[in-house]
Amino acid sequence: MNEIITLLQNHRSIRKFTDQPVSEVQLNAILAAAQAASTSSNMQAYSFIHVTDKGLKSQLAALAGNQPYVSECPLFLVWCGDLHRYAQAVHRHGDTPVTGNAENFIVATVDAALAAQNAAIAAESLGLGVVFIGGLRNKPAEVSQLLGLPQLVYPVFGMCIGMPDQEPLQRPRLPREAVYHENRYTDNPVAVDVYDESIRDYMKVRTDGKVDTTWSKEMAAKAQRPREHMKAFLSEQGFLVE
């Protein structure tokens, strides 16, 4: 074990922050770490938008499902899959068309996620807390309009960063045998049963016995909210058109 592994294993989402601002030095370190992330073929197919305007943060909080910590956090970043800059580079050397086909869409999404995870780890190493905001995909067209996103750019998720003002329980993860396979995929439905009980115990402690639920029940509820609008939105932005 070392400090980095300990840091990674202690991760938890923070949704309540103090008023202490994130300093310019901290911000620069976080963003430098993000840009040092691995990237497919050096495309660096992502952008991040630092939202400093309070009114804009409030609008994004509402679009993300009325999550107050989006407007309250000291630092809010929106991570985007970005092929717009890639297209600009390609067009400097001819008229080769650039599309957001399935491969390029995957590259942009993965690049954004890798950069954001680097940023999250850097922030936590500085004593800050983070939470990812996938709720921006509830209203991606409206988010894109507010942020002025051009074609071939889309909001993957947001990220709140700040000094933690809470010490939440660490949510248990699936048993390793559910996600770890050797040589070929092996189905292990029993692991879900085991995890259901772990989540039930966790939720009872977290809510002082007010909530009795399981992972599979939460996943069943999520399956009823599929965000099917994303396909049409991505097509309008130039992705997955082939």
Side-chain angles (χ1 to χ4, degrees):
M1 296 290 290
N2 57 49
E3 291 182 2
I4 296 174
I5 292 175
T6 299
L7 176 73
L8 291 169
Q9 293 182 348
N10 284 335
H11 167 75
R12 61 207 66 199
S13 294
I14 299 298
R15 294 177 173 85
K16 186 177 181 182
F17 305 92
T18 70
D19 293 332
Q20 180 177 329
V22 176
S23 72
E24 195 71 22
V25 171
Q26 290 173 319
L27 176 60
N28 287 334
I30 291 167
L31 299 185
Q35 287 196 265
S38 297
T39 170
S40 180
S41 301
N42 199 33
M43 283 175 65
Q44 302 172 74
Y46 64 89
S47 288
F48 37 80
I49 299 174
H50 180 190
V51 182
T52 59
D53 183 271
K54 292 183 179 180
L56 183 54
K57 285 174 71 177
S58 295
Q59 289 178 281
L60 292 172
L63 292 172
N66 296 311
Q67 300 186 60
Y69 28 94
V70 172
S71 58
E72 296 169 357
C73 68
L75 172 62
F76 186 65
L77 300 174
V78 179
W79 299 86
C80 302
D82 186 350
L83 296 176
H84 180 72
R85 186 174 51 250
Y86 168 64
Q88 289 178 324
V90 171
H91 293 156
R92 287 172 180 252
H93 303 280
D95 295 325
T96 303
V98 172
T99 65
N101 60 22
E103 169 62 12
N104 283 340
F105 171 72
I106 292 170
V107 166
T109 304
V110 171
D111 270 12
L114 292 174
Q117 183 64 9
N118 261 29
I121 295 166
E124 290 180 340
S125 76
L126 296 172
L128 302 171
V130 307
V131 63
F132 286 82
I133 308 295
L136 289 184
R137 299 193 302 278
N138 290 344
K139 301 287 185 179
E142 292 86 340
V143 169
S144 297
Q145 184 176 16
L146 283 175
L147 299 178
L149 302 186
Q151 281 280 290
L152 294 176
V153 182
Y154 87 98
V156 185
F157 44 68
M159 180 188 289
C160 299
I161 304 177
M163 185 61 65
D165 195 24
Q166 62 177 177
E167 294 184 11
L169 291 173
Q170 188 173 41
R171 189 187 300 267
R173 296 302 198 231
L174 281 159
R176 185 169 300 163
E177 55 267 28
V179 298
Y180 174 70
H181 312 270
E182 290 188 9
N183 300 319
R184 59 184 293 121
Y185 194 98
T186 53
D187 197 6
N188 187 0
V190 175
V192 174
D193 297 330
V194 173
Y195 190 50
D196 271 352
E197 292 308 309
S198 294
I199 290 295
R200 172 176 278 123
D201 293 341
Y202 162 80
M203 290 302 296
K204 285 182 177 178
V205 174
R206 176 178 170 178
T207 65
D208 293 324
K210 296 176 183 177
V211 176
D212 183 2
T213 189
T214 64
W215 181 72
S216 61
K217 187 181 294 184
E218 291 179 345
M219 295 305 101
K222 178 177 173 56
Q224 297 177 23
R225 308 185 301 272
R227 286 182 180 147
E228 290 183 346
H229 57 269
M230 283 300 299
K231 184 176 181 180
F233 163 73
L234 289 168
S235 178
E236 290 175 0
Q237 289 297 106
F239 293 94
L240 301 177
V241 294
E242 293 183 359

